[in-house]
């Protein structure tokens, strides 16, 4: 794949910010009980946008990706008439009038409290939940063990057979297992991933095996809820070297189902 990169430097005057109402001090009030007149202040900003391109057939190709970054500075000038003309205004703008609409390609400028206002709460102020709470309300998930490699001494259908038993254990606890095609219909798209490995089966003296499982869900970052990623929120591991393990490879993998059901029931009242 060819890679093309470049940059565009663009300087533009950011829309005037219409600041909220400020109350006058008591000494300036015209009378007892009289409402304070609203004050406004227009500030002008200089916005610098840099656009970098990466991919193929840039800058307008379908496989070209735009990466944008910005820098802003207050614009100090007494030539407000020039500024107004940039915004398509011949004269000044009345303080009570609405600001001109943004340009169609204007960047989305986020205020400090915009996230809190949109969500109705401050995500940064939320206390951290108990670890098991990530399983609350998870009544369905995706799981596929059919591709697990057969360890020594087991038949070729090790994965498919184990998958059926694993699914039955979850279903008995009220947890539905869906196919990959149905995963997008689940809130958070919870997926139980299981990793099974074993050492060289010919080296019987040092033969070992291990199991690691992780449940991933779609999560939003508290510092910026616009960022959504699939993250591991629950995990369990065991294997031949685990102190509390007994049985064979199949037993070790099924212990994941038992551990998941146990933690799931703790927070879901079963």
């Amino acid at each position: 794949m060819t890679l093309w990169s470049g940059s565009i430097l663009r300087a533009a005057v950011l829309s005037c910010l219409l600041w909220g109402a400020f109350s006058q001090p008591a000494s300036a009030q015209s009378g007892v009980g009289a409402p304070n007149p609203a004050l406004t202040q227009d500030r002008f900003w200089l916005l610098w946008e840099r656009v970098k391109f990466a991919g193929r057939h840039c800058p307008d190709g379908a496989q070209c990706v735009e990466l944008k970054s910005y820098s802003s500075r207050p614009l100090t000038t007494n030539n407000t008439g020039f500024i107004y003309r940039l915004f398509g205004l011949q004269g000044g703008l009345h303080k009570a009038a609405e600001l001109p609409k943004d340009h169609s390609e204007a960047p989305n400028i986020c205020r400090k409290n915009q996230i809190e206002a949109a969500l109705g709460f401050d995500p940064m102020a939320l206390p951290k939940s108990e670890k098991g709470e990530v399983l609350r309300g998870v009544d369905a998930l995706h799981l596929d063990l059919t591709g697990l490699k057969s360890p020594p001494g087991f038949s070729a259908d090790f994965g498919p057979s184990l998958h059926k038993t694993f699914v039955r254990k979850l279903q008995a606890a009220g947890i539905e297992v869906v196919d990959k095609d149905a995963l997008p219909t689940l809130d958070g798209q919870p997926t139980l991933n299981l990793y099974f490995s074993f050492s060289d089966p010919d080296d019987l003296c040092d033969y070992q095996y291990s199991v690691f499982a992780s449940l991933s869900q779609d999560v939003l970052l508290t510092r910026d809820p616009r960022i959504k990623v699939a993250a591991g929120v629950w995990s369990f591991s065991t294997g031949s070297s685990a102190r509390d393990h007994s049985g064979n490879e199949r037993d070790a993998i099924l212990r994941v189902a038992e551990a998941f059901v146990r933690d799931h029931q703790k927070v879901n009242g079963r």
Side-chain angles (χ1 to χ4, degrees), residues 182-195:
L183 179 59
T185 65
L186 301 183
D187 292 339
Q189 300 193 44
T191 303
L192 186 57
N193 302 289
L194 191 143
Y195 307 93

Side-chain angles (χ1 to χ4, degrees), residues 7 10 13 34 69 94 121 124 129 140 154 161 172 177 186 223 245:
S7 65
R10 294 192 293 196
V13 178
S69 57
H94 189 273
F121 63 90
M124 295 292 290
S129 301
F154 287 84
S161 174
V177 178
L186 301 183
R223 64 174 176 82
H245 172 61

Side-chain angles (χ1 to χ4, degrees), residues 136-144 170 174-192 215-219 228-230 260 264:
R136 185 179 296 279
V138 177
D139 53 10
L141 53 82
H142 171 63
L143 167 74
D144 187 1
L170 295 184
I175 305 168
E176 183 184 0
V177 178
V178 304
D179 295 332
K180 188 175 183 179
D181 292 341
L183 179 59
T185 65
L186 301 183
D187 292 339
Q189 300 193 44
T191 303
L192 186 57
L215 179 77
S216 65
Q217 294 187 70
D218 291 343
V219 300
K228 181 173 71 172
V229 296
F260 186 86
H264 184 271

Side-chain angles (χ1 to χ4, degrees), residues 230-244:
V233 296
W234 178 91
S235 63
F236 179 81
S237 62
T238 188
S240 55
S241 61
R243 292 182 179 180
D244 58 347

